[in-house]
Each structure stands twice: as structure tokens, then as C-alpha cells.
């Protein structure tokens, strides 16, 4: 007898990036040397001073429940970091600490959106965006962006997508999977449209510290006094401090919305890990040199990877201004026979054939609402990058 699962879960798609990583891992466990590029997390170890703060927290007995959306010291550290980095003044009652930015996104959507609401999502988008919108009963409205525009949505595109049902825009800057870092003028134009239509904007800024030469990061909340009451910043420590396993994220939002998310989180999960909260304080209040060092390493890998991908036959991409991904178009390889005799017809086929014959693991663009593309994460060591790109080049030529 099969278990009669809830309609919500029956409709829910599994995370495609996690599935791709699992497939690569399964092949690896058979003894194959897999060149793994599916990972959406820094390969660095969490900096020592952060780990030490966690050990000290345990020794000091900080191993019990905390307030549902975080201890006051961490909320204050978040406020201080936005004042320092962006000149933004937030109060602790506008901060909700969660079990990671993904959890924060769920909180925002559940607190704000429901059946009948439309949520505008520029594509390519992070895998969980559309799934989480559907989970809260709202309707995702996908707006396709182009490689020529650097995968940035324009104000005109936003205006055209707005209907009386539009509630929220989900922006991701810099973007996973494209690496797009929105130019300030584009952000300003989007902000004007949002204000005009009183549209809420969730700005997922989890990659804000990973910005490369030629690009600039601006937090959405800096775009005007009238933009702040509509803005919900989502971020966390995962990407900037190599702390994906610690599960600490946050929102900066209007007081009323923060209170709603607090109520929700107090019923759903209670507080995020107490020890991780102390580690996050050390990350935010400590020296930011570790962030600069990791970013510099990502920058040199990015330069190398872009140069190699540029040299591949019949492949195109928009240079990533931030994050640690290159998102490239392989559609010109569809329909022609590849090693193994198969012909591939779409990005998912392409990724399967590539994994099977070249042992290179990428994530299909289909997962990000971008057929024809594949995502390569350069959050892995140079030896893997070099060997993997050699294998990819051989597969394509
Ligand atoms: C990694 C990632 C997150 C989630 O981060 P966690 O804090 O680890 O949950 C959110 N948004 C984007 C775009 C990401 O790539």
C-alpha cells in the first residue's frame, strides 16, 4: 500500500542541485574519479576564530533554547554589520535569525504570500525559489532574462509582469546560478517600479561579499527611504564565511513583517542552533580578512575558468560579476552525436552524458528555469578545476 501523501508534498519537486550532487557521489562511490562541479558551497574550512567561538559557547553552557529568532547579541551584530558595510540603520526588532537563508526565504513567503498572490521571479533563478512559492500556495510568475543583458531583469520587464495580484519580487543579487551582479542603475530603476506599484522586494544578498573586479554590490535597501519599507533583505553566513553547515541566516525587514516571521518561526522550528549563533557573532564582529582571502581565491579561479570556457567550441556565457558559478550555454551541442554515440537533446541529457562519459558533474540549467544552459561551480580546488575542464574540453571536441 502506498502512503497517501499530502497534496502539497506530492506536488513538491526535489532540489535539483542536491539531486545532481547525489548522482555524482553515487558514481564516485563505485571508484570513479568524478570531477565535481555541482557544489553550491565554499570548499574552504570555516575560519578558526569562528570555530573557537563555538567551542567557547559550548564551554560557557550556551547549549539551551534561545529566543525564537535569535539572541540579542547576534541581532545587534547583524545590525552593526549593515551599518558598517552599507550605511543602513536597522534595529534589532527588524532582524529575524533563522536556520539559514533558505529558511528565511520560506519565512518571508509564508508570512507574506498565499493563494491568489503572484510572486515575480527573474529566470534563471535559484532552484528553490519557485518550489517555495508553490509551497505557500502562491503563483510564481517567471520573467526570462537574456545572456545579452547579463541575466539582469530590466525595469520594463518588471513593469510588464506586474498585475493587481503581484505581491513580491524575488531578486537574487549576485545571482545563483548566473553570477549576475546587478548594475546600480538597473537596481535603481527596479526600485522605482517597486515603489510606484508598492510591490515588496525580497532581495537575496547571500553572495554580497563575493564580488569581482568590474562589478559593484549595492544592497537594495540603500536605494531610497521609500524603498526600505518594501524591502526584505535575506542573507546569512553560509557563503561569505564558509559556514554552510552551521545553518544561520537572517532577514532585515519592516517591524510588522519581522513580528509575523517571529510568530511563524516560534511555532515551526524555534531558535536556530545556539552554538552556531555564537559562531555567527564571531564571524560578523571579527576581522573580515578571511572573507577577503577566500574572495581573492575565488577571483583567481574565476579568471582561469572563464578563460578555459571561452576556448570551448560552441559555448557562450555572460561573465559572472559575483558568486562562484559560470552559467554557460551548450545548446549548440544538442542534436549532434557525442562520445558514446548518444545524441543529446537538452541540458539534462547533456549533464547525464557528460557525467557518464567524461566523469564531469555539472547541474542542468533546466533546474534553474534556463533550458540550454549548465551551471559550473568553481567552489572547488584548482586541481579539480584543471582536470575537470580538460575532460570537458575533450568531451566537446
Ligand atoms: C546558498 C544559497 C542560499 C541558502 O543559504 P543557506 O543560508 O545555507 O540556507 C540562499 N540563496 C541562494 C541564492 C543561495 O545560493
Amino acid at each position: 500500500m502506498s502512503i497517501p501523501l499530502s497534496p502539497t508534498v506530492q506536488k513538491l519537486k526535489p532540489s535539483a542541485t542536491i539531486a545532481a550532487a547525489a548522482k555524482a557521489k553515487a558514481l564516485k562511490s563505485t571508484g570513479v574519479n568524478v570531477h565535481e562541479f555541482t557544489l553550491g558551497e565554499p570548499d574552504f574550512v570555516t575560519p578558526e576564530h569562528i570555530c573557537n567561538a563555538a567551542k567557547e559557547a559550548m564551554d560557557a553552557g550556551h547549549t539551551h533554547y534561545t529566543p525564537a529568532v535569535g539572541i540579542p547579541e547576534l541581532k545587534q551584530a547583524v545590525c552593526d554589520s549593515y551599518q558598517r558595510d552599507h550605511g543602513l540603520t536597522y534595529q534589532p526588532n527588524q532582524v529575524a535569525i533563522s536556520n539559514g537563508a533558505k529558511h528565511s526565504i520560506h519565512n518571508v513567503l509564508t508570512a507574506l504570500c498565499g493563494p491568489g498572490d503572484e510572486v515575480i521571479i527573474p529566470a534563471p533563478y535559484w532552484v528553490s525559489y519557485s518550489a517555495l512559492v508553490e509551497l505557500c500556495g502562491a503563483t510564481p510568475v517567471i520573467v526570462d532574462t537574456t545572456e545579452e543583458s547579463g541575466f539582469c531583469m530590466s525595469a520594463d520587464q518588471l513593469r510588464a509582469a506586474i498585475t493587481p495580484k503581484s505581491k513580491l519580487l524575488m531578486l537574487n543579487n549576485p545571482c545563483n546560478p548566473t553570477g549576475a551582479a546587478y548594475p546600480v542603475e538597473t537596481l535603481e530603476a527596479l526600485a522605482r517600479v517597486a515603489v510606484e506599484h508598492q510591490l515588496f522586494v525580497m532581495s537575496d544578498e547571500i553572495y554580497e561579499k563575493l564580488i569581482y573586479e568590474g562589478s559593484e554590490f549595492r544592497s537594495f535597501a540603500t536605494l531610497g527611504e521609500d524603498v526600505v519599507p518594501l524591502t526584505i533583505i535575506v542573507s546569512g553566513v553560509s557563503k561569505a564565511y564558509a559556514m554552510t553547515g552551521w545553518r544561520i541566516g537572517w532577514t532585515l525587514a519592516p517591524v510588522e513583517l519581522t513580528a509575523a516571521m517571529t510568530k511563524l518561526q516560534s511555532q515551526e522550528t524555534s531558535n536556530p542552533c545556539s552554538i552556531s549563533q555564537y559562531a555567527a557573532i564571531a564571524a560578523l564582529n571579527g576581522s573580515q580578512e578571511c572573507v577577503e582571502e577566500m574572495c581573492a581565491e575565488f577571483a583567481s579561479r574565476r579568471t582561469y575558468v572563464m578563460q578555459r570556457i571561452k576556448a570551448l567550441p560552441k559555448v557562450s556565457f555572460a561573465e559572472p560579476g559575483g558568486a562562484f558559478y559560470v552559467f554557460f550555454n551548450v545548446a549548440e551541442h544538442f542534436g549532434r552525436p557525442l562520445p558514446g554515440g548518444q545524441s543529446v537533446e537538452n541540458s539534462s541529457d547533456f549533464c547525464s552524458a557528460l557525467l557518464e562519459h567524461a566523469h564531469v558533474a555539472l547541474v542542468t540549467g533546466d533546474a534553474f528555469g534556463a533550458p540550454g544552459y549548465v551551471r559550473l561551480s568553481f567552489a572547488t580546488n584548482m586541481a579539480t578545476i584543471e582536470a575537470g575542464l580538460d575532460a570537458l574540453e575533450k568531451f566537446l571536441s
Side-chain angles (χ1 to χ4, degrees):
M1 195 194 86
S2 72
I3 297 173
L5 297 171
S6 74
T8 313
V9 163
Q10 282 187 38
K11 272 189 290 183
L12 188 65
K13 297 179 281 288
S15 164
T17 44
I18 292 176
K23 220 170 143 185
K25 202 169 256 173
L27 185 61
K28 211 174 193 167
S29 72
T30 68
V32 173
N33 176 23
V34 177
H35 311 293
E36 165 63 282
F37 296 107
T38 65
L39 296 181
E41 62 173 339
D43 54 312
F44 305 111
V45 295
T46 304
E48 197 179 355
H49 69 282
I50 299 175
C51 294
N52 286 340
K55 291 172 192 166
E56 284 159 22
M58 271 189 273
D59 291 340
H62 296 308
T63 54
H64 297 96
Y65 289 135
T66 77
V69 291
I71 52 177
E73 299 91 319
L74 177 52
K75 289 184 181 180
Q76 189 60 53
V78 171
C79 292
D80 293 347
S81 74
Y82 280 81
Q83 186 76 61
R84 176 185 73 212
D85 297 347
H86 306 298
L88 285 167
T89 305
Y90 278 98
Q91 302 304 325
N93 64 354
Q94 296 179 284
V95 181
I97 311 294
S98 73
N99 297 282
K102 188 185 268 189
H103 182 206
S104 288
I105 296 169
H106 166 80
N107 284 346
V108 172
L109 289 168
T110 308
L112 203 57
C113 302
D117 291 330
E118 291 179 353
V119 177
I120 299 171
I121 306 176
Y125 51 81
W126 187 44
V127 274
S128 296
Y129 280 13
S130 58
L132 288 173
V133 169
E134 283 166 13
L135 204 55
C136 76
T139 307
V141 174
I142 308 297
V143 177
D144 287 320
T145 66
T146 61
E147 195 177 305
E148 294 69 43
S149 72
F151 294 113
C152 291
M153 183 176 63
S154 69
D156 286 341
Q157 283 185 300
L158 175 59
R159 204 175 277 112
I162 291 176
T163 76
K165 291 180 180 171
S166 304
K167 189 77 170 273
L168 177 73
L169 163 66
M170 291 174 87
L171 206 61
N172 181 202
N173 176 38
C175 177
N176 174 3
T178 61
Y182 274 75
V184 176
E185 316 80 70
T186 310
L187 285 179
E188 278 168 347
L190 291 172
R192 287 308 107 212
V193 177
V195 169
E196 191 185 315
H197 292 272
Q198 289 296 292
L199 179 71
F200 287 97
V201 179
M202 187 205 87
S203 186
D204 179 346
E205 303 179 352
I206 190 109
Y207 292 102
E208 67 156 286
K209 303 286 185 227
L210 304 179
I211 285 280
Y212 306 110
E213 212 185 319
S215 295
E216 180 190 2
F217 173 77
R218 273 287 291 280
S219 179
F220 204 80
T222 64
L223 299 169
E225 288 294 312
D226 49 356
V227 179
V228 177
L230 295 169
T231 302
I232 305 133
I233 297 175
V234 169
S235 195
V237 293
S238 283
K239 308 292 162 55
Y241 301 96
M243 290 177 71
T244 45
W246 299 75
R247 310 311 303 134
I248 295 291
W250 56 75
T251 47
L252 292 168
V255 174
E256 195 183 341
L257 184 56
T258 303
M261 293 189 285
T262 303
K263 181 169 72 172
L264 181 67
Q265 193 165 306
S266 75
Q267 291 289 19
E268 283 192 336
T269 62
S270 297
N271 62 278
C273 172
S274 58
I275 300 157
S276 297
Q277 291 188 57
Y278 284 90
I281 293 172
L284 293 171
N285 289 352
S287 163
Q288 300 300 298
E289 224 170 279
C290 56
V291 180
E292 283 160 33
E293 282 165 15
M294 289 188 274
C295 190
E297 177 61 30
F298 281 133
S300 64
R301 293 175 188 175
R302 167 182 172 272
T303 305
Y304 176 80
V305 169
M306 288 200 309
Q307 173 210 327
R308 291 291 307 265
I309 294 181
K310 257 179 214 155
L312 295 175
K314 297 182 180 169
V315 153
S316 68
F317 66 98
E319 294 197 356
F324 38 64
Y325 309 100
V326 181
F327 198 62
F328 54 100
N329 192 325
V330 292
E332 281 197 52
H333 292 279
F334 298 169
R336 75 183 184 90
L338 287 166
Q342 290 148 286
S343 101
V344 301
E345 300 304 330
N346 56 50
S347 296
S348 300
D349 286 358
F350 181 89
C351 288
S352 300
L354 184 67
L355 182 61
E356 190 181 331
H357 299 290
H359 305 152
V360 174
L362 304 178
V363 183
T364 171
D366 297 327
F368 308 101
Y373 285 82
V374 292
R375 188 191 77 174
L376 178 147
S377 162
F378 52 85
T380 187
N381 60 61
M382 271 313 277
T384 301
I385 292 174
E386 283 170 14
L389 286 165
D390 288 347
L392 176 63
E393 189 175 82
K394 206 169 140 217
F395 178 81
L396 291 180
S397 33

